[in-house]
Amino acid sequence: MTLIAGVICQDGVVVGADSITTISTDIEQQVSDKITIAEDNVIIACSGNAGLSQLIKDELRGRWHEIQLLRSTSEVRNAISEAMYSQIELAAKRARSAGNSPAKCETLVALPVSHRPTLLHFSPVADSWEIGSELAFISIGSGSRQADPFLAFIKRILWGGAAPCSTRLATFGILWTLQHVSTVNAGLGVGGPPRIAALANQGGSWNAEMLTEGRLGEHRLAIAQAEATLQNFAGRGGPSQSF
């Protein structure tokens, strides 16, 4: 069970995830590896079968010296798809030979392509889709049905209906979404301390980093203030009572 969300910004990309995983059928444990930073400027986040996710991440790390030399988004997308599918195909063959259903995994990859921040989504069969500034966000995992409407609300109210101008605004939106879904998830298995990574241009070079609890704490305070403002609005009677 998982919720992973990615937001493309004018100045970078932010990817966040919960930290609960399901072992066997009903045992939940906290993990910290749903998001991986590779080569200092690539964020990889997987939802689905944990074993296949690890194989995909390892395969991408092993091929990254080739992928990073590519200059167009289409070339990068195809190279990542081929690397991922090599592991997906092997896993499917093993599952068929054992009479089992094939493992499935969805993946988000954030990276710079030709000095431009890029957010890519890969389906369970490694088909790719670039998340553009008009869409701005994507979520995957069991919590996505609850996350998407909330992210759409944040996009409309806080981001002006398009990609946010900064990774700071994106982090605020993703953290608020993770907290919201963790609170109301109705048994989807989404929870645990949120993990958030940001890709940003620092001094002319792109770097990815996991945000510390100290930095997330600032956003938690801002979220609490936003929720208090809404509660106060309701406490004052909300809209005019004249109708």
Side-chain angles (χ1 to χ4, degrees), residues 43-237:
I43 301 171
I44 306 170
C46 297
S47 167
N49 181 273
L52 181 57
S53 297
Q54 290 176 345
L55 290 172
I56 285 173
K57 289 176 181 178
D58 289 343
E59 185 71 21
L60 290 178
R61 287 194 199 97
R63 297 198 192 188
W64 206 258
H65 64 286
E66 302 170 6
I67 295 173
Q68 67 183 356
L69 298 176
L70 303 175
R71 291 290 175 259
S72 72
T73 303
S74 60
E75 289 177 321
V76 170
R77 287 170 60 178
N78 288 335
I80 295 175
S81 291
E82 290 176 4
M84 291 177 61
Y85 193 73
S86 67
Q87 293 298 329
I88 293 169
E89 187 176 30
L90 285 174
K93 287 180 179 178
R94 289 193 293 265
R96 285 194 297 268
S97 66
N100 298 326
S101 299
K104 293 184 178 180
C105 177
E106 281 186 272
T107 305
L108 298 183
V109 179
L111 74 164
V113 179
S114 296
H115 307 291
R116 180 176 65 89
T118 304
L119 176 60
L120 304 174
H121 168 261
F122 293 86
S123 75
V125 292
D127 290 333
S128 66
W129 176 29
E130 181 179 2
I131 310 306
S133 59
E134 291 186 359
L135 180 61
F137 70 84
I138 185 170
S139 70
I140 59 177
S142 61
S144 64
R145 289 191 176 184
Q146 291 181 336
D148 283 349
F150 196 77
L151 281 165
F153 167 77
I154 290 173
K155 173 186 172 183
R156 181 171 64 88
I157 299 300
L158 298 182
W159 301 341
C165 63
S166 68
T167 56
R168 184 173 180 82
L169 277 175
T171 300
F172 177 86
I174 285 182
L175 181 59
W176 197 0
T177 301
L178 289 167
Q179 290 187 179
H180 169 72
V181 176
S182 295
T183 301
V184 303
N185 74 79
L188 290 175
V190 176
R195 317 286 185 182
I196 297 180
L199 171 70
N201 193 308
Q202 301 173 355
S205 62
W206 289 95
N207 293 285
E209 62 175 336
M210 295 296 301
L211 302 186
T212 64
E213 182 54 41
R215 292 173 66 180
L216 293 182
E218 298 175 4
H219 291 285
R220 293 187 204 279
L221 289 175
I223 290 167
Q225 292 171 356
E227 292 179 345
T229 298
L230 290 173
Q231 289 169 349
N232 290 336
F233 176 76
R236 292 196 300 268

Side-chain angles (χ1 to χ4, degrees), residues 17-20 30 182 190-194:
D18 74 319
S19 57
I20 289 290
Q30 287 192 10
S182 295
V190 176

